[in-house]
Amino acid sequence: MSKFDEIRYFHDHEVNEALGSIARDPMMKALMNFTFPGVDEQVWLEQFKDVHSISDFQHHFVAHTIRQILAKSSEGLTTSGFDLLDKNTPYLFISNHRDIVLDTSLLNLVLLESGHIMTASAIGDNLVKRKFLNVLAKLNRNFLVQRGLSLREQLKSSQNMSEYIDQQLHQENRSVWIAQREGRTKNGNDSTQQGVLKMLAMASGDQSLIDYFKTLKIVPISISYEYDPTDSLKMPQLLAQHRDEEYVKGKNEDFTTMLSGILGQKKRIHIHAGHVINAELDDIAAHIENKNKQLQAIAQVIDDSIIRNYKLWPTKYIAYDLIHNTDTYASHYTEQEKQLFIRRLEMRISSSDAVSKEYFLAMYANPLINKIKAEEN
């Protein structure tokens, strides 16, 4: 028994049996029919018998699924910054968070195809309560972030996860992906929660915060979807916040959101890998002594990188101009792109619902507004 057993992904020697346990699940059949249309079930069931590692599963199955998702629900994925990363170095990728499944899946496809070390990726245990999803997640090198704990349990869980991430990076030579905040960004404002950084610092031992964070080799990741396939699904939670009400998720809401994110139209997608945060840490150490303020400053460095390197698609400029009733950014989009976006808005939000319309537009416009602010500072 390891202290990480409750949260870890599968060891390679467990993979074949774990895959066999969900091979005949109806959801696996649906997934394989999507991935390999027209291929008989017996073909991939036989191929499963030869899968004896996570790498086998990712190369021969998961990568094909992600390529199918891109082919069927996007107009392509572009990248930048990855050529500046060393292929044999494990990094801690801290990313803005838009989609439950795709953010990390797309990043890993990029890493696989460019020959970089793929990630162990954090996922909330609330998202994988169904056996099939839980096993599939662990087959795809996801480790669990435990949710809904008491304060005392949460502290213990955070310490454990911090040590697990440390082990992945420093002993297993494995890159790690973690979102900059708990839960997806619903309003388009990408900001790093200090709590995430506090959790990472728990494994620092005797090292100073700055020295330890240098060993993590933090790379901020900016992921940008031209269309958010879950845009309208985010509205109820935003409206509840607007009314100062508690938001209670529906029974299958997370699962519906996952499916919508995977299958919904995204148009173009871009992922940028920032540079390793290193010199900035020296600067913080030289000017700030207080640990909390150091964490605040590190969060700001990550935010600046994510916001400045966020690819601004025409939808962001259109939303800004619609909110402000202007044509300030008209040179950044065509009339056809504008009409398509307006049609999407009208199909998703009732014309009589002014508040939802405002939130919908802000969700798309905020990355542009934040980039303008970042460049002014």
Side-chain angles (χ1 to χ4, degrees), residues 79-85 93 107 110-111 114 116 221 271-273:
T79 63
S80 50
F82 289 91
D83 53 330
L84 301 177
L85 299 178
F93 295 107
L107 171 64
V110 172
L111 297 174
S114 58
H116 288 84
I221 293 285
I271 304 179
H272 177 87

Side-chain angles (χ1 to χ4, degrees), residues 196-337:
V196 171
L197 301 182
K198 272 186 181 166
M199 178 276 295
L200 292 169
M202 284 175 148
S204 59
D206 297 331
Q207 285 178 283
S208 74
L209 178 78
I210 297 298
D211 285 345
Y212 182 67
F213 270 60
K214 278 186 168 186
T215 73
L216 299 178
K217 297 186 176 66
I218 295 170
V219 173
I221 293 285
S222 309
I223 184 159
S224 171
Y225 299 90
E226 188 166 8
Y227 277 126
D228 180 345
T230 62
D231 47 20
S232 57
L233 296 176
K234 291 174 179 175
M235 286 300 109
Q237 192 166 348
L238 289 170
L239 289 173
Q241 286 168 2
H242 174 77
R243 297 182 191 119
D244 207 16
E245 295 170 356
E246 185 189 354
Y247 181 70
V248 181
K249 281 185 185 177
K251 193 183 171 195
N252 291 313
E253 187 171 329
D254 286 329
F255 186 64
T256 305
T257 301
M258 282 162 118
L259 279 183
S260 300
I262 290 165
L263 301 173
Q265 179 54 240
K266 292 158 270 290
K267 291 196 82 176
R268 292 171 290 183
I269 308 164
H270 188 81
I271 304 179
H272 177 87
H275 66 261
V276 180
I277 292 173
N278 192 49
E280 297 90 340
L281 293 172
D282 288 330
D283 191 49
I284 289 166
H287 294 97
I288 303 170
E289 282 184 29
N290 178 280
K291 192 173 167 181
N292 273 335
K293 289 190 174 165
Q294 285 182 342
L295 286 169
Q296 221 171 335
I298 296 166
Q300 192 58 57
V301 169
I302 294 167
D303 290 352
D304 284 348
S305 174
I306 287 173
I307 289 164
R308 287 173 191 273
N309 294 306
Y310 185 98
K311 172 85 173 171
L312 291 170
W313 298 112
T315 48
K316 317 300 174 191
Y317 295 106
I318 295 164
Y320 181 98
D321 280 355
L322 288 172
I323 288 172
H324 296 94
N325 199 20
T326 177
D327 57 3
T328 305
Y329 291 106
S331 61
H332 290 271
Y333 54 84
T334 64
E335 185 58 30
Q336 187 189 11
E337 285 169 331

Side-chain angles (χ1 to χ4, degrees), residues 3 11 15 28 98-99 108 149 152 172 187 203 216 234-235 237 267 275 344 352:
K3 63 179 175 180
H11 297 310
V15 164
M28 180 61 87
R98 287 289 189 279
D99 188 89
N108 274 297
L149 302 176
R152 190 176 170 185
E172 301 293 331
N187 58 9
L216 299 178
K234 291 174 179 175
M235 286 300 109
Q237 192 166 348
K267 291 196 82 176
H275 66 261
R344 182 183 182 88
S352 62

Side-chain angles (χ1 to χ4, degrees), residues 40-58:
D40 189 75
E41 185 177 343
Q42 280 312 117
V43 174
W44 48 262
L45 282 172
E46 276 304 306
Q47 290 171 344
F48 280 178
K49 292 174 185 174
D50 296 325
V51 174
H52 293 279
S53 68
I54 286 179
S55 180
D56 285 350
F57 186 60
Q58 289 184 320

